[in-house]
Amino acid sequence: ETGVTQTPRHLVMGMTNKKSLKCEQHLGHNAMYWYKQSAKKPLELMFVYNFKEQTENNSVPSRFSPECPNSSHLFLHLHTLQPEDSALYLCASSQDGGQLNQPQHFGDGTRLSIL
Amino acid sequence: GESVGLHLPTLSVQEGDNSIINCAYSNSASDYFIWYKQESGKGPQFIIDIRSNMDKRQGQRVTVLLNKTVKHLSLQIAATQPGDSAVYFCAEKAGNTPLVFGKGTRLSVIA
């Protein structure tokens, strides 16, 4: 149990569907992150939220829309995705998203497949 | 450097032996480093971290060595066990910038 819970664990959707990924952390952290993990590539940072404010958008296409209603919850809203968006989407949290050098703790991810 | 998927470097180690996994980084301004372990079907799990004012740090059965001169980081696992089989990757951070992850090395433990 990592303290970071992601749902669903698996998601299959068509390119015209709209779905959302959910992440919840029980670690009392103030920063939350979305990453994309594809084969043959390192982890790609997508978004960072620090104290509910988005501090990083790593040139992510607008078909991915994050939402952070509070420091414990993070969503990734998906719409009109492309086949190349199929990947493992990982959520992470850390004590602070800025100056403090603290490790990020990850959930087990949502395996997304776009048909 | 490392790679994932079909080109992921693999280290095969006999159970009970010590393992050494290496990571080269490129940013001389990086001042914080982390090692993660990722088992199949799971997310990355924090193993150990080290700050640039140190060159060695020990945990339970693991040791991280940092050589800033050649920008090299290594993870040593003592008495490797079958449960250590996973993909290991390093991450580096410079100041306030986000963590940058390496691609990973697959460790296979031979029983």
Side-chain angles (χ1 to χ4, degrees), chain B residues 1-3 7 9 22-25 102-105:
Chain B
E2 301 89 3
S3 60
H7 303 290
N22 298 303
C23 180
Y25 64 96
K103 295 181 181 178
T105 297

Side-chain angles (χ1 to χ4, degrees), chain A residues 29 63 110:
Chain A
H29 288 166
R63 57 186 184 270
T110 294

Side-chain angles (χ1 to χ4, degrees), chain A residues 27-44:
Chain A
L27 300 170
H29 288 166
N30 297 308
M32 296 188 77
Y33 310 77
W34 279 117
Y35 286 89
K36 177 183 179 182
Q37 188 174 39
S38 306
K40 302 182 184 179
K41 290 185 178 181
L43 276 172
E44 299 174 64

